Amino acid sequence: MRISLRRGLTVPFKGEPSQIVDRNLAVDRIGLLGHDHGPIRAEVLVAAGEQVAVGTPVYRSRARQELLFCAPVSGTVERIEIGARRRFVEMSIIADGEDRRLDFDTSAADTPEGLRSLLLASGQWPALRARPFERIADPDGTPKALFVTAMDTAPHAPDPAPIIAERSQDFARGLAAMLLLTETPVYLCQPDIEPLARSSEHLKVVRFTGLHPAGLVGTHIARLQPPGDGETVWHIGYQDVIAIGHLLNTSRIDPYRIVSLSGPGVDNPRLVQVPLGADLHALARPNLTPGAKTILSGAVTGGRESTFLGRHDRQVTVVPRAPARQHHWLIEALRRVQTAAAFIPTQALEQTLGSGAPVTPLLRALSIGDAEAAQKLGCLHMAEEDLALASYVTGGTTDFGQKLRRVLDELEAGA
Protein backbone atom coordinates (compact mmCIF):
# COMPACT_ATOMS: atom_id res chain seq x y z
CA MET A 1 0.00 0.00 0.00
CA ARG A 2 1.19 3.50 -0.83
CA ILE A 3 -0.24 6.74 0.56
CA SER A 4 0.77 10.12 -0.85
CA LEU A 5 0.17 13.16 1.34
CA ARG A 6 -0.68 16.49 -0.22
CA ARG A 7 -0.20 18.47 2.95
CA GLY A 8 3.23 19.15 4.35
CA LEU A 9 6.07 21.64 4.46
CA THR A 10 9.80 21.80 3.90
CA VAL A 11 11.47 23.42 6.92
CA PRO A 12 14.63 25.25 5.78
CA PHE A 13 17.21 24.90 8.53
CA LYS A 14 20.99 25.14 8.61
CA GLY A 15 23.35 22.59 10.08
CA GLU A 16 22.16 19.39 8.40
CA PRO A 17 24.00 16.37 9.85
CA SER A 18 26.23 13.96 8.03
CA GLN A 19 24.62 10.52 8.00
CA ILE A 20 27.84 8.86 9.14
CA VAL A 21 27.49 7.62 12.72
CA ASP A 22 30.04 8.70 15.34
CA ARG A 23 30.20 5.86 17.88
CA ASN A 24 33.12 7.21 19.90
CA LEU A 25 31.38 9.78 22.10
CA ALA A 26 31.68 9.00 25.79
CA VAL A 27 28.65 9.97 27.89
CA ASP A 28 29.42 10.25 31.58
CA ARG A 29 25.94 11.10 32.87
CA ILE A 30 22.39 10.20 31.94
CA GLY A 31 18.96 11.19 33.18
CA LEU A 32 15.57 9.46 33.37
CA LEU A 33 12.76 12.00 32.99
CA GLY A 34 9.23 11.67 34.34
CA HIS A 35 8.07 14.02 31.59
CA ASP A 36 8.59 11.21 29.08
CA HIS A 37 6.02 8.88 30.60
CA GLY A 38 3.13 11.01 31.81
CA PRO A 39 1.95 11.42 35.39
CA ILE A 40 3.34 8.23 36.95
CA ARG A 41 3.42 7.89 40.72
CA ALA A 42 6.74 6.23 41.34
CA GLU A 43 8.16 3.76 43.81
CA VAL A 44 11.91 4.29 43.72
CA LEU A 45 13.88 1.04 43.97
CA VAL A 46 17.39 2.45 44.45
CA ALA A 47 19.02 5.15 46.58
CA ALA A 48 21.44 7.94 45.78
CA GLY A 49 24.96 6.55 45.86
CA GLU A 50 23.87 3.02 44.92
CA GLN A 51 25.64 1.10 42.15
CA VAL A 52 23.53 -0.09 39.20
CA ALA A 53 24.13 -2.12 36.04
CA VAL A 54 22.52 -1.73 32.62
CA GLY A 55 19.04 -3.18 33.10
CA THR A 56 18.80 -2.68 36.86
CA PRO A 57 15.22 -1.63 37.80
CA VAL A 58 15.49 1.85 39.34
CA TYR A 59 11.81 2.71 39.81
CA ARG A 60 8.38 1.35 39.05
CA SER A 61 4.80 2.49 38.81
CA ARG A 62 2.91 2.36 42.11
CA ALA A 63 -0.32 1.60 40.24
CA ARG A 64 1.22 -1.10 38.01
CA GLN A 65 4.15 -2.55 39.96
CA GLU A 66 5.14 -4.84 37.10
CA LEU A 67 5.85 -1.70 35.01
CA LEU A 68 9.58 -1.19 35.57
CA PHE A 69 12.02 1.50 34.44
CA CYS A 70 15.63 0.38 34.17
CA ALA A 71 19.08 1.98 34.15
CA PRO A 72 20.51 2.50 30.63
CA VAL A 73 24.10 2.72 31.90
CA SER A 74 26.14 1.10 34.64
CA GLY A 75 27.31 3.47 37.33
CA THR A 76 26.22 5.33 40.45
CA VAL A 77 22.84 6.87 41.13
CA GLU A 78 23.55 10.57 41.55
CA ARG A 79 20.24 12.27 42.24
CA ILE A 80 16.54 11.38 42.60
CA GLU A 81 13.77 13.95 42.43
CA ILE A 82 10.18 13.10 43.30
CA GLY A 83 7.52 15.79 42.99
CA ALA A 84 4.12 16.37 44.52
CA ARG A 85 1.89 13.31 45.04
CA ARG A 86 4.89 11.03 44.43
CA ARG A 87 5.11 12.01 40.78
CA PHE A 88 8.46 10.97 39.34
CA VAL A 89 10.45 13.99 38.10
CA GLU A 90 14.05 12.96 37.42
CA MET A 91 16.86 10.56 38.24
CA SER A 92 20.47 11.01 37.17
CA ILE A 93 23.16 8.32 37.01
CA ILE A 94 26.94 8.84 36.70
CA ALA A 95 28.30 6.25 34.26
CA ASP A 96 31.34 4.22 35.28
CA GLY A 97 32.36 3.32 31.73
CA GLU A 98 32.26 -0.41 32.43
CA ASP A 99 29.01 -1.21 30.59
CA ARG A 100 27.96 -3.96 33.01
CA ARG A 101 24.68 -5.49 31.78
CA LEU A 102 22.15 -7.81 33.38
CA ASP A 103 21.03 -10.97 31.58
CA PHE A 104 17.29 -11.61 31.17
CA ASP A 105 15.52 -14.93 30.74
CA THR A 106 14.08 -14.98 27.20
CA SER A 107 13.05 -18.65 27.21
CA ALA A 108 9.31 -17.91 27.48
CA ALA A 109 9.31 -15.03 24.98
CA ASP A 110 7.85 -17.22 22.22
CA THR A 111 4.37 -16.76 23.73
CA PRO A 112 2.43 -13.47 23.98
CA GLU A 113 2.29 -13.71 27.78
CA GLY A 114 5.98 -14.55 28.09
CA LEU A 115 6.94 -11.74 25.72
CA ARG A 116 4.94 -9.18 27.69
CA SER A 117 6.53 -10.37 30.93
CA LEU A 118 10.01 -10.05 29.41
CA LEU A 119 9.37 -6.54 28.08
CA LEU A 120 8.06 -5.47 31.48
CA ALA A 121 10.93 -7.03 33.46
CA SER A 122 13.60 -5.55 31.19
CA GLY A 123 12.14 -2.03 31.18
CA GLN A 124 11.36 -2.18 27.45
CA TRP A 125 7.57 -1.97 27.76
CA PRO A 126 7.52 1.89 28.04
CA ALA A 127 8.68 1.99 24.41
CA LEU A 128 5.08 1.05 23.51
CA ARG A 129 2.75 4.04 23.66
CA ALA A 130 -1.00 4.25 23.23
CA ARG A 131 -3.36 6.77 21.72
CA PRO A 132 -5.59 8.46 22.58
CA PHE A 133 -3.78 10.43 25.29
CA GLU A 134 -0.23 9.26 24.39
CA ARG A 135 0.43 7.18 27.49
CA ILE A 136 2.41 3.99 28.07
CA ALA A 137 0.42 1.11 26.59
CA ASP A 138 -1.64 -0.95 29.03
CA PRO A 139 0.21 -4.28 29.53
CA ASP A 140 -3.16 -6.02 29.91
CA GLY A 141 -4.78 -4.24 26.99
CA THR A 142 -5.43 -5.18 23.37
CA PRO A 143 -4.98 -2.44 20.77
CA LYS A 144 -7.14 -1.92 17.71
CA ALA A 145 -3.86 -1.84 15.78
CA LEU A 146 -0.13 -1.50 16.39
CA PHE A 147 1.99 0.95 14.37
CA VAL A 148 5.73 0.55 13.81
CA THR A 149 7.17 3.87 12.65
CA ALA A 150 10.16 3.27 10.37
CA MET A 151 10.41 6.75 8.83
CA ASP A 152 11.10 10.29 10.00
CA THR A 153 10.44 13.45 8.01
CA ALA A 154 11.40 15.97 10.72
CA PRO A 155 14.20 18.37 9.67
CA HIS A 156 17.65 16.84 10.30
CA ALA A 157 16.23 13.51 11.50
CA PRO A 158 18.41 10.40 11.09
CA ASP A 159 17.61 8.34 8.01
CA PRO A 160 16.06 5.10 9.34
CA ALA A 161 16.90 2.97 6.27
CA PRO A 162 20.68 2.53 6.83
CA ILE A 163 20.17 2.15 10.59
CA ILE A 164 17.68 -0.66 10.00
CA ALA A 165 19.86 -2.22 7.28
CA GLU A 166 22.84 -2.38 9.66
CA ARG A 167 20.71 -4.05 12.35
CA SER A 168 18.51 -6.09 10.01
CA GLN A 169 18.49 -9.26 12.15
CA ASP A 170 17.54 -7.37 15.30
CA PHE A 171 14.88 -5.41 13.42
CA ALA A 172 13.37 -8.58 11.93
CA ARG A 173 13.31 -10.28 15.35
CA GLY A 174 11.77 -7.21 16.98
CA LEU A 175 9.14 -6.91 14.26
CA ALA A 176 8.24 -10.58 14.73
CA ALA A 177 7.79 -9.82 18.43
CA MET A 178 5.32 -7.05 17.59
CA LEU A 179 3.32 -9.54 15.54
CA LEU A 180 3.32 -11.95 18.47
CA LEU A 181 2.24 -9.23 20.89
CA THR A 182 -1.17 -8.70 19.30
CA GLU A 183 -3.47 -10.52 16.87
CA THR A 184 -4.77 -7.19 15.55
CA PRO A 185 -3.21 -5.54 12.46
CA VAL A 186 0.39 -4.38 12.68
CA TYR A 187 1.27 -1.52 10.33
CA LEU A 188 4.88 -1.02 9.30
CA CYS A 189 4.99 2.59 8.08
CA GLN A 190 8.02 3.40 5.97
CA PRO A 191 9.24 5.76 3.23
CA ASP A 192 8.58 5.01 -0.41
CA ILE A 193 11.55 2.65 -0.75
CA GLU A 194 11.98 -1.11 -1.04
CA PRO A 195 9.72 -2.75 1.58
CA LEU A 196 11.47 -3.35 4.90
CA ALA A 197 9.44 -6.54 5.45
CA ARG A 198 7.03 -8.76 3.56
CA SER A 199 3.36 -7.85 3.84
CA SER A 200 0.91 -10.45 5.09
CA GLU A 201 -2.62 -10.60 6.40
CA HIS A 202 -1.27 -9.68 9.83
CA LEU A 203 1.52 -7.29 8.81
CA LYS A 204 0.62 -4.35 6.56
CA VAL A 205 3.59 -2.58 4.99
CA VAL A 206 2.53 0.96 4.08
CA ARG A 207 4.73 3.39 2.17
CA PHE A 208 4.16 7.10 2.77
CA THR A 209 5.31 9.92 0.52
CA GLY A 210 5.20 13.63 1.16
CA LEU A 211 6.76 16.37 3.22
CA HIS A 212 6.76 16.66 7.00
CA PRO A 213 4.57 15.63 8.86
CA ALA A 214 4.29 12.56 6.59
CA GLY A 215 6.60 10.67 8.95
CA LEU A 216 4.62 11.20 12.15
CA VAL A 217 2.71 8.31 13.66
CA GLY A 218 -0.27 10.60 14.22
CA THR A 219 -0.47 11.04 10.45
CA HIS A 220 -0.29 7.28 9.92
CA ILE A 221 -2.95 6.53 12.53
CA ALA A 222 -5.33 9.12 11.05
CA ARG A 223 -4.93 7.69 7.55
CA LEU A 224 -5.09 4.00 8.44
CA GLN A 225 -6.77 3.13 11.75
CA PRO A 226 -7.94 6.01 13.98
CA PRO A 227 -9.22 4.78 17.35
CA GLY A 228 -12.97 4.84 17.88
CA ASP A 229 -14.84 5.32 21.13
CA GLY A 230 -13.21 3.19 23.85
CA GLU A 231 -10.51 1.92 21.48
CA THR A 232 -6.74 2.38 21.61
CA VAL A 233 -3.95 2.01 19.10
CA TRP A 234 -0.35 1.35 20.08
CA HIS A 235 2.82 2.59 18.42
CA ILE A 236 6.57 2.08 18.69
CA GLY A 237 9.62 3.51 16.91
CA TYR A 238 11.99 1.53 14.72
CA GLN A 239 15.00 1.87 17.05
CA ASP A 240 12.97 0.49 19.95
CA VAL A 241 11.96 -2.43 17.74
CA ILE A 242 15.66 -3.01 17.04
CA ALA A 243 16.39 -2.87 20.78
CA ILE A 244 13.68 -5.47 21.51
CA GLY A 245 15.09 -7.70 18.79
CA HIS A 246 18.55 -7.33 20.34
CA LEU A 247 17.13 -8.35 23.72
CA LEU A 248 15.56 -11.47 22.23
CA ASN A 249 18.75 -12.35 20.34
CA THR A 250 21.23 -11.75 23.17
CA SER A 251 19.24 -11.74 26.47
CA ARG A 252 20.62 -8.25 27.17
CA ILE A 253 19.05 -4.86 26.61
CA ASP A 254 20.48 -2.42 24.09
CA PRO A 255 20.43 1.03 25.75
CA TYR A 256 21.97 2.89 22.80
CA ARG A 257 20.18 4.97 20.19
CA ILE A 258 21.43 6.81 17.12
CA VAL A 259 20.47 10.47 17.18
CA SER A 260 21.34 13.51 15.11
CA LEU A 261 23.42 16.29 16.64
CA SER A 262 22.69 19.20 14.35
CA GLY A 263 21.63 22.77 13.82
CA PRO A 264 23.35 26.10 13.14
CA GLY A 265 24.93 26.03 16.62
CA VAL A 266 26.99 22.88 15.87
CA ASP A 267 30.33 23.03 14.04
CA ASN A 268 30.34 19.32 13.15
CA PRO A 269 26.71 18.19 12.66
CA ARG A 270 26.49 14.41 12.45
CA LEU A 271 24.80 11.29 13.78
CA VAL A 272 25.99 10.03 17.17
CA GLN A 273 25.40 6.84 19.15
CA VAL A 274 24.49 7.61 22.76
CA PRO A 275 22.68 5.90 25.65
CA LEU A 276 19.09 6.75 26.44
CA GLY A 277 18.91 9.90 28.55
CA ALA A 278 22.35 11.21 27.53
CA ASP A 279 23.52 14.51 29.06
CA LEU A 280 22.89 16.95 26.21
CA HIS A 281 25.12 19.74 27.48
CA ALA A 282 28.14 17.46 27.83
CA LEU A 283 27.31 15.90 24.45
CA ALA A 284 27.04 19.22 22.59
CA ARG A 285 29.68 21.29 24.42
CA PRO A 286 32.73 20.15 22.38
CA ASN A 287 30.85 20.82 19.14
CA LEU A 288 29.42 24.29 19.71
CA THR A 289 30.08 27.32 17.53
CA PRO A 290 30.90 30.59 19.39
CA GLY A 291 28.13 32.38 21.24
CA ALA A 292 25.26 31.51 23.59
CA LYS A 293 23.24 28.46 22.56
CA THR A 294 19.95 26.75 23.25
CA ILE A 295 20.06 22.93 23.26
CA LEU A 296 16.85 21.13 22.40
CA SER A 297 15.94 17.51 22.88
CA GLY A 298 14.07 16.89 19.64
CA ALA A 299 13.67 18.63 16.31
CA VAL A 300 13.70 22.38 15.80
CA THR A 301 9.97 22.25 15.10
CA GLY A 302 9.01 20.70 18.43
CA GLY A 303 12.01 20.08 20.64
CA ARG A 304 12.21 21.30 24.22
CA GLU A 305 15.07 22.67 26.27
CA SER A 306 16.37 19.87 28.44
CA THR A 307 19.45 18.74 30.30
CA PHE A 308 18.94 15.15 29.14
CA LEU A 309 17.84 13.40 25.95
CA GLY A 310 14.14 12.53 26.03
CA ARG A 311 13.21 8.83 26.00
CA HIS A 312 11.58 9.05 22.57
CA ASP A 313 13.69 11.81 20.99
CA ARG A 314 16.13 10.96 18.21
CA GLN A 315 17.50 14.45 17.66
CA VAL A 316 19.59 17.00 19.51
CA THR A 317 19.19 20.45 17.99
CA VAL A 318 21.45 23.38 18.83
CA VAL A 319 20.42 26.91 17.90
CA PRO A 320 21.74 30.38 18.82
CA ARG A 321 20.06 31.69 21.94
CA ALA A 322 17.72 34.55 21.18
CA PRO A 323 18.33 37.75 23.18
CA ALA A 324 15.97 38.22 26.09
CA ARG A 325 13.03 40.47 25.30
CA GLN A 326 12.78 43.59 27.44
CA HIS A 327 9.22 44.73 28.13
CA HIS A 328 7.56 46.98 30.65
CA TRP A 329 6.27 44.92 33.59
CA LEU A 330 2.63 45.74 32.74
CA ILE A 331 3.00 44.47 29.16
CA GLU A 332 4.58 41.26 30.46
CA ALA A 333 1.75 40.79 32.96
CA LEU A 334 -0.90 41.28 30.30
CA ARG A 335 0.89 38.84 28.00
CA ARG A 336 0.97 36.16 30.71
CA VAL A 337 -2.75 36.34 31.45
CA GLN A 338 -3.87 35.97 27.86
CA THR A 339 -5.97 32.80 27.60
CA ALA A 340 -5.88 32.44 23.84
CA ALA A 341 -3.18 33.95 21.67
CA ALA A 342 -4.38 35.11 18.28
CA PHE A 343 -3.02 33.52 15.13
CA ILE A 344 -3.50 34.32 11.47
CA PRO A 345 -4.68 31.48 9.20
CA THR A 346 -2.23 31.16 6.32
CA GLN A 347 -1.65 28.73 3.49
CA ALA A 348 1.46 27.45 5.28
CA LEU A 349 -0.54 26.85 8.47
CA GLU A 350 -3.08 24.80 6.53
CA GLN A 351 -0.25 22.45 5.47
CA THR A 352 0.91 21.59 8.99
CA LEU A 353 -1.36 18.64 9.84
CA GLY A 354 -1.02 15.34 8.05
CA SER A 355 -4.27 13.93 9.40
CA GLY A 356 -6.67 15.74 7.09
CA ALA A 357 -8.34 17.48 10.05
CA PRO A 358 -9.54 21.07 9.47
CA VAL A 359 -6.53 22.97 10.76
CA THR A 360 -7.86 26.42 11.66
CA PRO A 361 -11.03 25.25 13.48
CA LEU A 362 -9.01 22.68 15.44
CA LEU A 363 -6.37 25.21 16.49
CA ARG A 364 -9.04 27.67 17.55
CA ALA A 365 -10.80 25.02 19.63
CA LEU A 366 -7.51 24.13 21.31
CA SER A 367 -6.66 27.80 21.88
CA ILE A 368 -9.83 28.38 23.89
CA GLY A 369 -9.75 24.96 25.57
CA ASP A 370 -12.95 23.70 23.94
CA ALA A 371 -12.38 19.99 24.53
CA GLU A 372 -15.69 18.88 23.03
CA ALA A 373 -15.08 20.72 19.77
CA ALA A 374 -11.46 19.57 19.60
CA GLN A 375 -12.55 15.96 20.04
CA LYS A 376 -15.09 16.27 17.22
CA LEU A 377 -12.38 17.78 15.01
CA GLY A 378 -10.09 14.76 15.53
CA CYS A 379 -7.64 15.55 18.34
CA LEU A 380 -7.78 12.14 20.04
CA HIS A 381 -5.31 10.42 17.73
CA MET A 382 -2.82 13.29 18.12
CA ALA A 383 0.01 14.10 20.52
CA GLU A 384 2.11 17.21 21.04
CA GLU A 385 4.42 16.38 18.13
CA ASP A 386 1.51 16.57 15.69
CA LEU A 387 0.98 20.26 16.52
CA ALA A 388 4.68 21.21 16.61
CA LEU A 389 4.77 22.29 12.98
CA ALA A 390 1.77 24.57 13.52
CA SER A 391 3.54 26.21 16.48
CA TYR A 392 6.68 26.60 14.38
CA VAL A 393 4.85 28.16 11.41
CA THR A 394 3.15 30.70 13.67
CA GLY A 395 6.50 31.79 15.08
CA GLY A 396 6.23 29.94 18.37
CA THR A 397 3.91 32.57 19.84
CA THR A 398 1.43 29.82 20.74
CA ASP A 399 2.44 26.35 21.88
CA PHE A 400 -0.40 24.36 20.34
CA GLY A 401 1.10 21.12 21.63
CA GLN A 402 0.77 22.36 25.20
CA LYS A 403 -2.82 23.40 24.56
CA LEU A 404 -3.53 19.98 23.06
CA ARG A 405 -2.11 18.32 26.18
CA ARG A 406 -4.46 20.32 28.40
CA VAL A 407 -7.43 19.24 26.31
CA LEU A 408 -6.30 15.60 26.25
CA ASP A 409 -5.83 15.61 30.02
CA GLU A 410 -9.37 16.97 30.42
CA LEU A 411 -10.80 14.33 28.10
CA GLU A 412 -8.78 11.57 29.82
CA ALA A 413 -10.05 12.64 33.23
CA GLY A 414 -13.64 12.40 31.98
CA ALA A 415 -13.18 9.09 30.15
Side-chain angles (χ1 to χ4, degrees), residues 260-281:
S260 62
L261 174 61
S262 67
V266 179
D267 64 6
N268 181 21
R270 63 200 188 280
L271 302 186
V272 294
Q273 179 177 276
V274 295
L276 292 167
D279 183 341
L280 299 187
H281 293 269

Side-chain angles (χ1 to χ4, degrees), residues 5-283:
L5 272 75
R6 296 182 180 180
R7 287 182 177 179
L9 292 172
T10 298
V11 180
F13 190 52
K14 295 180 180 179
E16 184 172 355
S18 162
Q19 293 294 311
I20 298 174
V21 181
D22 180 353
R23 304 179 192 274
N24 298 316
L25 280 179
V27 175
D28 298 327
R29 186 167 172 257
I30 68 93
L32 303 174
L33 304 175
H35 177 278
D36 292 332
H37 303 301
I40 289 180
R41 291 190 179 92
E43 179 183 352
V44 178
L45 304 175
V46 294
E50 188 170 333
Q51 296 288 314
V52 296
V54 177
T56 299
V58 292
Y59 72 97
R60 64 185 176 189
S61 167
R62 284 180 174 268
R64 299 295 302 264
Q65 296 204 348
E66 72 275 23
L67 182 57
L68 299 175
F69 300 83
C70 297
V73 295
S74 60
T76 305
V77 177
E78 176 190 35
R79 177 174 171 272
I80 302 168
E81 182 180 353
I82 302 294
R85 302 180 65 188
R86 303 297 301 173
R87 304 288 192 193
F88 182 81
V89 178
E90 183 178 299
M91 178 184 295
S92 58
I93 301 173
I94 303 297
D96 58 16
E98 296 183 11
D99 199 26
R100 293 174 287 109
R101 304 193 191 193
L102 298 184
D103 289 310
F104 292 90
D105 182 5
T106 62
S107 60
D110 56 352
T111 67
E113 297 77 14
L115 177 61
R116 292 192 186 213
S117 296
L118 173 65
L119 297 181
L120 287 164
S122 61
Q124 302 302 294
W125 187 268
L128 285 155
R129 290 172 287 169
R131 294 191 186 181
F133 312 127
E134 190 68 351
R135 302 302 191 197
I136 296 174
D138 180 0
D140 295 329
T142 300
K144 180 181 181 181
L146 192 158
F147 288 78
V148 175
T149 307
M151 62 182 300
D152 198 335
T153 52
H156 295 183
D159 181 358
I163 296 173
I164 293 172
E166 184 180 23
R167 303 284 300 275
S168 58
Q169 291 186 346
D170 287 338
F171 181 75
R173 186 74 183 270
L175 188 59
M178 296 303 100
L179 294 170
L180 179 62
L181 205 57
T182 175
E183 296 180 354
T184 55
V186 175
Y187 292 96
L188 173 59
C189 300
Q190 64 162 78
D192 192 16
I193 59 174
E194 194 70 22
L196 298 172
R198 182 177 297 179
S199 288
S200 66
E201 186 175 350
H202 192 181
L203 177 65
K204 318 291 184 182
V205 178
V206 186
R207 295 180 292 175
F208 281 83
T209 65
L211 303 175
H212 191 60
L216 293 182
V217 68
T219 299
H220 306 157
I221 292 170
R223 299 285 175 165
L224 294 167
Q225 196 83 267
D229 187 29
E231 296 176 328
T232 64
V233 296
W234 294 357
H235 68 96
I236 187 171
Y238 68 97
Q239 292 201 52
D240 287 308
V241 171
I242 289 172
I244 289 171
H246 177 87
L247 170 64
L248 293 168
N249 284 329
T250 68
S251 301
R252 295 183 172 188
I253 68 171
D254 178 5
Y256 292 96
R257 301 294 184 269
I258 292 173
V259 304
S260 62
L261 174 61
S262 67
V266 179
D267 64 6
N268 181 21
R270 63 200 188 280
L271 302 186
V272 294
Q273 179 177 276
V274 295
L276 292 167
D279 183 341
L280 299 187
H281 293 269
L283 177 65

Side-chain angles (χ1 to χ4, degrees), residues 37-40 87 130-136 232 371 375 379-380 404-415:
H37 303 301
I40 289 180
R87 304 288 192 193
R131 294 191 186 181
F133 312 127
E134 190 68 351
R135 302 302 191 197
I136 296 174
T232 64
Q375 181 176 359
C379 76
L380 283 182
L404 171 66
R405 174 47 57 192
R406 290 171 182 165
V407 165
L408 289 177
D409 287 348
E410 179 181 340
L411 293 171
E412 184 180 22

